[in-house]
Amino acid sequence: MKFGVCLGGVSRESIELASDSGADFIVANLYAISEYEPEKLREIIDISRSYGKKITATNGFFGKMPFFESPENYEKSADYVKRTFEKMAYTDIKFMTLGSGVHRHIPDGMAKEAAEEKYIKLCREVIAPEAANYGYTIGIEHLNKKEVNYINTALEAYELVRKIDRPQIKMLVDYYHFMLENEVFEEFEKFGSCVAHMHIASALNDRHLPLPVDGEAESYRKFFKAVKRYVDSDVDMAIEGGIPEPKVQNLRHSFHYLRKLRSES
């Protein structure tokens, strides 16, 4: 298992932060970097390579794009996926998180069944085949009820992956959302083999990066034990949380803590 950090749009400064703190890889915001001019994107990728901290994964798949509210949003989403996947071909990205609460929010008056049918169609007919063209793996992320009203638990993400039934579509398990929804670690036995990536942040300390002072040591230990038992050892984990000052010191400390939890699990 490798440990990385989510750094938004990514800059030389944030790449240096990842390098100085001991990150294995970087997670970029896909929507943000999809807006970059080709020259700027190439520059960022080249800088990350020069530091040996490649951008291998993304979050923020659809940004703030809407989906269910209007019929034309399907084509807009499909066009965005095709353009963005092609644009990312130069990069080192292999995994993309599919969360994006705004895009996945089901509006009032729309039946969940109808929304899910439309979402599955987008995944099957657009996202999965385009991912296959470029060798990307997509991970559906569960988001807590405060952020979205569809796919709130890891089990729900797993069930959606089963319905989509495409090899390019897996799931991402996020400790922060998992804890906020009061899920139990025994559930890993059901979905663990479907996990292709992981995120982690404190569920008690304002969604900051994990540290021993969070008061979550026992929960962290149980999480890592479940991961070790049920998730493939090659699946990576990224910190997706706030990084307080001094950033290098705190991020380095967090990586040390996570690696210790992993080794002791």
Side-chain angles (χ1 to χ4, degrees):
M1 177 190 295
K2 294 180 180 179
F3 291 94
V5 58
C6 300
L7 294 175
V10 187
S11 63
R12 178 182 289 275
E13 290 73 23
S14 61
I15 293 169
E16 290 175 351
L17 171 63
S19 178
D20 293 344
S21 61
D24 295 318
F25 65 93
I26 293 170
V27 180
N29 183 294
L30 181 63
Y31 188 83
I33 64 174
S34 75
E35 297 282 283
Y36 289 175
E37 292 297 326
E39 294 78 12
K40 181 178 180 180
L41 178 62
R42 183 176 291 269
E43 178 185 12
I44 290 296
I45 298 305
D46 289 346
I47 292 171
S48 71
R49 289 171 178 169
S50 72
Y51 276 86
K53 306 298 175 184
K54 293 181 179 180
I55 300 171
T56 59
T58 65
N59 58 3
F61 195 101
F62 281 110
K64 302 293 184 182
M65 291 177 63
F67 182 56
F68 293 120
E69 286 77 4
S70 175
E72 62 262 24
N73 287 341
Y74 184 94
E75 289 306 320
K76 289 180 180 178
S77 294
D79 179 65
Y80 164 79
V81 168
K82 294 172 183 177
R83 286 186 292 103
T84 300
F85 281 18
E86 181 180 11
K87 192 171 187 178
M88 295 302 123
Y90 174 75
T91 74
D92 302 299
I93 294 167
K94 297 299 181 186
F95 177 86
M96 297 177 174
T97 306
L98 182 54
S100 302
V102 172
H103 188 266
R104 206 163 72 199
H105 179 78
I106 301 175
D108 293 341
M110 185 175 196
K112 177 184 174 182
E113 293 76 13
E116 183 162 274
E117 182 179 350
K118 187 175 182 180
Y119 200 75
I120 289 174
K121 179 182 179 182
L122 180 69
C123 289
R124 281 181 177 170
E125 298 183 2
V126 180
I127 297 177
E130 289 297 322
N133 288 339
Y134 296 98
Y136 305 138
T137 296
I138 311 299
I140 292 178
E141 180 182 25
H142 52 109
L143 303 171
N144 72 81
K145 293 185 182 72
K146 294 179 181 179
E147 297 189 16
V148 70
N149 59 2
Y150 176 49
I151 310 300
N152 304 120
T153 68
L155 279 178
E156 289 172 347
Y158 171 63
E159 290 300 328
L160 181 61
V161 171
R162 292 182 64 189
K163 291 175 183 177
I164 295 169
D165 192 26
R166 295 294 185 272
Q168 298 79 22
I169 309 292
K170 303 294 184 181
M171 66 175 283
L172 176 146
V173 65
D174 188 306
Y175 170 88
Y176 170 79
H177 297 293
F178 191 90
M179 297 303 293
L180 261 61
E181 289 299 315
N182 298 307
E183 296 191 76
V184 295
F185 296 108
E186 288 75 13
E187 292 171 349
F188 269 79
E189 184 175 3
K190 300 176 183 177
F191 63 73
S193 62
C194 189
V195 174
H197 205 77
M198 294 175 282
H199 285 167
I200 190 166
S202 171
L204 298 180
N205 189 19
D206 296 325
R207 202 176 185 176
H208 282 172
L209 75 188
L211 292 169
V213 297
D214 293 335
E216 297 174 77
E218 185 59 25
S219 294
Y220 288 145
R221 281 194 288 268
K222 289 181 179 179
F223 180 74
F224 272 88
K225 285 182 179 179
V227 167
K228 184 174 183 179
R229 184 172 183 181
Y230 297 112
V231 178
D232 190 286
S233 61
D234 290 332
V235 173
D236 297 329
M237 181 181 296
I239 295 170
E240 188 186 42
I243 308 173
E245 296 288 352
K247 290 189 175 184
V248 172
Q249 179 180 330
N250 280 315
L251 189 53
R252 185 185 295 131
H253 191 188
S254 186
F255 282 132
H256 175 77
Y257 184 44
L258 294 177
R259 290 177 176 121
K260 185 172 184 288
L261 287 166
R262 174 63 173 171
S263 67
E264 294 177 350
S265 62

